[in-house]
Amino acid sequence: MDAEPIAVTDLPNESLEAIAQILAALFYYRQGISLEHHFESMKRLREVAIEVRTQIQAKGRSSVHLMNLYEEHGLDAVVYLSQVKAWLALQSQKQTYGKEPPTRCPACDMPLAQSWTCLACGLELESPYQRMQVRSSSQPAVQFLPFHTALLADPERRRLLFVNCREGHRVVWEIDAEQWSATVPLSPLYLENHHLLMVDQQENRVFEVNLWGKTIWEFKTDTSERHQLLGPRRVALHHRAQDAYLLIADTGNHRILMIDRHHRIHWQYGVKGEPGKDDGFLNSPTDVQLTSEGYVLIADRGNHRVLEINPDNNLITWESPQDLGLSLPTFAEKLPNHNLLVVDAGNYRVLELNPQGVPEEECVYFNQSLDPRFRMDDPLHYFRRENQNILLSNGRRIMEIDLIHKHALWVNNLSELRYEGHEDNGHTLDPNPDFVAWISKQDAAPQASMALNDILARTSVFQGAPVTFFESLTPYLTLQTFYPEDKIVTQGQTGDAMFILKKGKVQVLKEPETLLATLEAGDIFGEMALVLSEPRSATVKAVSNCEIYRLSKWAFDTALQPFPEVQAGIQKLAQSRAAITRLKTGKHLSSQEASEVLQALLDQQVERLQQIKAQFSHRSHPVIAFRPLWRLMYNKIEQHVIHEALLAGLNCFELHVHTYNREVMSQLQASHVVELLQAQGDLLKLHPSPEAIFKDLLDDTLALTLLTRHSPEQILDDLAGMDELAPSEIYSIVF
Ligand code: CMP
């Protein structure tokens, strides 16, 4: 073991209740029996949770065998750390803020610089003004969900998914919808009480379930003929003086209903069963929402229009102008800036209209020359994320549209979104009994571990090193095992070793609480103290079961000495990590440093390309993004920087660099372009973002904004020297 101490942090106390609830949920899936009101059974689960928590802390999971939990029914199950974390996140309340935004982004921890929008992860925090608006309008989809989480319906596989959109669209929790008679659950909304409200298009229901999927409330459609629904597509929720009201797009009946929880109908627009376009009529409305002005916004799909109705007098207060040429507008949403977002499905585009009805933004996500997977003829589900991206799904495929940069970003089959709480054994929330039995026989997680040579070859800083290097390094390595929460390296201590991660994941944390990075198999750490001769710059702790090679300082010096190019690679890695740490901990950066950081980020991305490719090769690849003619957007800070630079006599250019034949640009090409342009001036902006490049979401174009003393001709000349790049476009930017 390393000389540095091991500390095990407890899962919080709330996790005991979370574990009991998860077990109860698993029991409900198997037996259809809800233990909520069975005091003795719940008490037993809470007792079991104490032992389960201890095991999860040690091993990342725990198997449970309970006889006669309720009557003669027992429970065999496995609970994972990831499940407990997801449950805790779903139960926690989002913090609200006063007049000032917090200093750091609550989702990614980057400094916010007085802004309500995080420039790093795009998160839009709810400002006091927005909070006021939200109070009087329909509940936004993201309001009670954890940051960057989307709630999606997968009607074909009959499940509801909580998806982490920031981490590779990972499913963190799923609800099995097989248990309902419902066949097409749609438009799920996560409520403040941690229930889900949704419609069922097939069974003509509007209902609410808890996180296990148990039905809690249902609109009584048999109360009268007027209560009967036909193919409802959307339900929205708003509050008025303590009372909750639901707006239902009763699509097949060509009307909108406003009801309350006591099954009373308060308002209706459209005539039941009669499609029409005259005042008072609708044709297959698919979306509805109450705006903060108190009007009902309706996507009147069959009439190719969007309407706003004053529910007090049923007068139309706004109607989409004819000349917009809307075709099958399927979703409509009022934005906090009072613009209107319309998914114009027939034209495969998303429009943002200003209050005068004039388009301010347009994003076309499909046309005939594009990948057919972006074609979604009848989108059933729409979800707007906190970073303004839009998720659209037709029940089979799902795609993400980046509205700011105007392109479709990602598309995948819904069936491929798998519940993968535990990295190695993709399990569903309720794994089958064979799997449970098999797991409980295993002492440690059955993880595929790699041969030493494979690991070394996968370690990016060693790539390209001669075979003799690997041969000379091998005898010096000792293998150690760590468990979740074990500290492998402690910030501030003297470093006496470097580490190579063979299996598992570790987190790099700057005390007290900044997450700097998550490292995976093939990554190295602990190199900074050795090459920069400084105390440990951060704490590194295991987040799953880890196997790690340790290389002592002495061995490091001895083994690496004959290989200066490997030493240089490690030195470079250490420097770039130091730069990233400065950025993430909010140290003020000069423009020189900022561009170093960008370079460092890119270097890291190139480094990890191979790893990511290897890791995800068994999964479906995201489709390469498409963009129509587009330009970068500049926020206020960037506009200010450009303005100042122009005053100082610099030029500002936005370059769009393309690959030949609309082929996809590689991360390596992208970083070459960045390197080349950095020699010409300061890079202000990069698209796709470093994170997107990191995730391999490059298409054929890289866009960069450069502050430079050079002329556009000089820059284009330099770029022309690079192979495989088509002629680039260059725009002068003036603010
Ligand atoms: P060292 O300073 O020896 O101990 C802590 C280790 O965390 C450090 O070496 C690096 O290996 C790693 N580390 C520090 N900062 C970062 C960062 N920004 N990104 C990735 N790893 C880092």
Side-chain angles (χ1 to χ4, degrees):
M1 278 271 153
D2 195 24
E4 292 161 23
I6 292 173
V8 178
T9 322
D10 283 345
L11 275 171
N13 280 339
E14 302 89 87
S15 62
L16 292 176
E17 184 58 25
I19 292 166
Q21 294 289 337
I22 290 167
L23 289 171
L26 296 177
F27 186 79
Y28 181 74
Y29 282 145
R30 308 261 174 84
Q31 310 294 349
I33 300 170
S34 167
L35 298 178
E36 244 176 337
H37 305 298
H38 297 293
F39 179 73
E40 280 305 318
S41 306
M42 282 311 294
K43 187 167 161 238
R44 218 171 130 203
L45 290 181
R46 290 187 181 109
E47 282 160 12
V48 170
I50 297 171
E51 174 57 22
V52 171
R53 178 171 74 162
T54 311
Q55 283 193 28
I56 289 179
Q57 281 173 171
K59 289 200 292 183
R61 67 162 189 235
S62 167
S63 48
V64 176
H65 306 275
L66 290 173
M67 308 276 281
N68 305 333
L69 176 61
Y70 178 74
E71 295 177 347
E72 75 282 14
H73 303 291
L75 176 66
D76 283 326
V78 184
V79 183
Y80 292 89
L81 179 65
S82 58
Q83 281 175 330
V84 180
K85 284 191 174 160
W87 184 279
L88 289 172
L90 285 171
Q91 300 288 322
S92 66
Q93 299 290 341
K94 265 189 198 164
Q95 202 184 331
T96 50
Y97 301 95
K99 283 195 192 124
E100 299 285 321
T103 49
R104 286 175 175 279
C105 170
C108 74
D109 204 36
M110 289 295 265
L112 280 176
Q114 296 289 308
S115 161
W116 289 98
T117 304
C118 173
L119 297 182
C121 73
L123 183 85
E124 278 188 326
L125 282 172
E126 197 183 71
S127 65
Y129 174 64
Q130 279 181 20
R131 192 158 53 247
M132 212 172 63
Q133 283 185 315
V134 164
R135 241 180 254 151
S136 52
S137 59
S138 291
Q139 182 198 314
V142 292
Q143 193 171 7
F144 298 109
L145 286 168
F147 291 124
H148 295 298
T149 302
L151 173 59
L152 307 170
D154 178 0
E156 220 158 79
R157 302 182 111 220
R158 303 192 53 194
R159 33 179 212 152
L160 298 166
L161 308 174
F162 290 89
V163 176
N164 181 332
C165 297
R166 265 200 101 204
E167 290 175 18
H169 298 84
R170 226 163 35 85
V171 178
V172 292
W173 187 262
E174 72 174 26
I175 296 176
D176 184 355
E178 296 272 350
Q179 51 183 312
W180 314 315
S181 59
T183 40
V184 188
L186 277 186
S187 137
L189 181 70
Y190 192 56
L191 308 178
E192 191 174 9
N193 59 5
H194 315 303
H195 291 169
L196 286 80
L197 179 69
M198 73 200 100
V199 299
D200 178 352
Q201 195 187 6
Q202 198 91 352
E203 299 275 325
N204 308 316
R205 301 165 68 201
V206 175
F207 64 123
E208 185 179 321
V209 301
N210 69 8
L211 274 175
W212 319 343
K214 184 185 162 210
T215 306
I216 305 291
W217 177 88
E218 177 162 359
F219 178 51
K220 283 194 191 138
T221 49
D222 55 5
T223 309
S224 77
E225 209 216 325
R226 211 173 149 220
H227 282 68
Q228 285 163 8
L229 304 176
L230 186 63
R233 291 267 297 249
R234 187 88 166 165
V235 57
L237 172 80
H238 65 269
H239 289 89
R240 270 286 139 79
Q242 309 303 324
D243 288 324
Y245 296 90
L246 311 187
L247 276 165
I248 304 167
D250 186 17
T251 310
N253 276 329
H254 310 288
R255 62 174 179 167
I256 299 293
L257 283 183
M258 192 190 289
I259 62 163
D260 67 18
R261 295 279 194 175
H262 309 291
H263 317 282
R264 287 183 296 235
I265 296 176
H266 285 259
W267 181 77
Q268 167 174 327
Y269 193 86
V271 180
K272 185 170 178 247
E274 286 183 40
K277 200 167 184 181
D278 296 340
D279 280 2
F281 285 87
L282 297 171
N283 188 347
S284 308
T286 43
D287 196 9
V288 63
Q289 185 199 77
L290 188 77
T291 68
S292 56
E293 292 94 0
Y295 300 141
V296 179
L297 177 71
I298 303 169
D300 188 15
R301 187 174 193 269
N303 283 328
H304 308 290
R305 62 178 180 174
V306 175
L307 297 174
E308 249 182 21
I309 311 280
N310 182 345
D312 296 333
N313 53 18
N314 280 358
L315 291 180
I316 297 177
T317 52
W318 185 83
E319 180 170 348
S320 51
Q322 284 278 332
D323 58 6
L324 275 180
L326 293 185
S327 165
L328 304 172
T330 309
F331 302 102
E333 181 176 3
K334 249 305 158 54
L335 302 179
N337 63 2
H338 299 283
N339 281 359
L340 178 68
L341 208 75
V342 180
V343 177
D344 186 19
N347 293 315
Y348 308 107
R349 62 177 179 165
V350 181
L351 287 175
E352 184 175 333
L353 308 175
N354 68 16
Q356 287 72 47
V358 179
E360 285 200 343
E361 304 284 352
E362 179 181 14
C363 171
V364 178
Y365 50 84
F366 173 74
N367 64 30
Q368 292 305 328
S369 62
L370 288 166
D371 188 315
R373 280 178 288 179
F374 283 125
R375 179 176 181 150
M376 266 187 205
D377 284 317
D378 185 12
L380 287 172
H381 191 66
Y382 158 96
F383 186 95
R384 183 170 171 271
R385 289 183 50 193
E386 300 104 327
N387 67 356
Q388 305 181 44
N389 283 2
I390 287 173
L391 294 166
L392 271 190
S393 159
N394 63 356
R396 258 165 296 117
R397 271 173 284 119
I398 174 149
M399 71 174 167
E400 179 158 355
I401 299 169
D402 178 344
L403 261 198
I404 296 187
H405 298 105
K406 301 198 184 57
H407 61 133
L409 194 66
W410 173 84
V411 64
N412 209 339
N413 287 330
L414 268 171
S415 62
E416 284 173 56
L417 295 187
R418 289 203 2 241
Y419 183 77
E420 286 184 314
H422 192 266
E423 53 195 309
D424 299 300
N425 311 301
H427 58 272
T428 63
L429 199 56
D430 185 22
N432 70 39
D434 294 344
F435 178 80
V436 177
W438 176 71
I439 280 281
S440 54
K441 277 204 213 111
Q442 316 278 318
D443 195 21
Q447 299 179 337
S449 63
M450 284 195 161
L452 175 58
N453 275 352
D454 289 342
I455 280 289
L456 293 181
R458 236 180 94 172
T459 303
S460 39
V461 276
F462 300 150
Q463 260 161 29
V467 180
T468 47
F469 167 71
F470 296 118
E471 286 168 1
S472 63
L473 190 63
T474 313
Y476 294 114
L477 297 173
T478 48
L479 188 62
Q480 301 181 332
T481 306
F482 295 88
Y483 297 101
E485 299 295 333
D486 282 356
K487 269 193 197 171
I488 305 154
V489 159
T490 306
Q491 184 175 322
Q493 296 202 341
T494 311
D496 61 354
M498 190 196 91
F499 302 87
I500 303 168
L501 201 50
K502 180 186 180 203
K503 192 177 76 182
K505 275 189 190 164
V506 298
Q507 282 185 341
V508 182
L509 300 153
K510 188 88 183 166
E511 308 285 1
E513 53 177 2
T514 309
L515 175 63
L516 291 175
T518 302
L519 305 179
E520 297 173 3
D523 283 328
I524 69 167
F525 60 91
E527 79 295 348
M528 285 169 66
L530 304 197
V531 301
L532 307 176
S533 300
E534 286 169 359
R536 294 287 192 207
S537 61
T539 292
V540 182
K541 71 173 193 193
V543 287
S544 67
N545 294 355
C546 291
E547 286 181 16
I548 296 178
Y549 289 111
R550 178 173 188 271
L551 184 65
S552 72
K553 181 169 166 30
W554 172 81
F556 177 85
D557 291 338
T558 315
L560 263 71
Q561 200 253 332
F563 301 98
E565 66 288 9
V566 180
Q567 276 178 329
I570 296 182
Q571 179 89 28
K572 201 166 162 212
L573 177 71
Q575 278 162 350
S576 63
R577 281 177 166 174
I580 290 169
T581 303
R582 285 206 300 282
L583 180 74
K584 290 204 168 169
T585 47
K587 298 259 162 58
H588 180 73
L589 295 185
S590 66
S591 70
Q592 168 68 21
E593 279 176 318
S595 55
E596 267 172 28
V597 168
L598 182 66
Q599 182 64 50
L601 282 172
L602 277 169
D603 284 349
Q604 267 198 352
Q605 286 143 13
V606 174
E607 244 176 45
R608 297 185 92 165
L609 173 67
Q610 296 306 328
Q611 293 176 21
I612 294 167
K613 284 218 162 123
Q615 207 176 332
F616 288 95
S617 56
H618 62 286
R619 301 194 186 164
S620 70
H621 270 291
V623 166
I624 301 315
F626 150 76
R627 259 176 241 147
L629 254 192
W630 53 276
R631 296 286 297 279
L632 293 176
M633 304 242 306
Y634 297 91
N635 62 36
K636 294 245 159 22
I637 300 171
E638 290 158 346
Q639 293 178 14
H640 178 75
V641 172
I642 294 172
H643 181 73
E644 293 290 312
L646 295 181
L647 286 182
L650 292 170
N651 299 319
C652 179
F653 300 119
E654 180 177 319
L655 274 120
H656 290 212
V657 183
H658 309 287
T659 48
Y660 266 120
N661 309 329
R662 298 191 69 84
E663 292 271 329
V664 182
M665 188 172 284
S666 70
Q667 291 195 9
L668 200 63
Q669 279 179 318
S671 73
H672 278 164
V673 172
V674 171
E675 237 168 72
L676 198 129
L677 290 175
Q678 275 188 328
Q680 308 269 10
D682 283 335
L683 271 184
L684 180 74
K685 207 169 165 74
L686 179 66
H687 184 85
S689 67
E691 278 97 39
I693 297 177
F694 166 65
K695 288 197 183 127
D696 214 6
L697 292 174
L698 271 158
D699 57 6
D700 64 329
T701 304
L702 183 73
L704 315 97
T705 311
L706 186 71
L707 299 172
T708 179
R709 300 209 172 275
H710 295 253
S711 69
E713 292 75 22
Q714 278 170 302
I715 290 166
L716 289 178
D717 252 15
D718 274 6
L719 281 174
M722 273 190 73
D723 286 345
E724 299 163 31
L725 292 186
S728 312
E729 286 134 30
I730 190 159
Y731 307 96
S732 280
I733 305 291
V734 183
F735 281 112

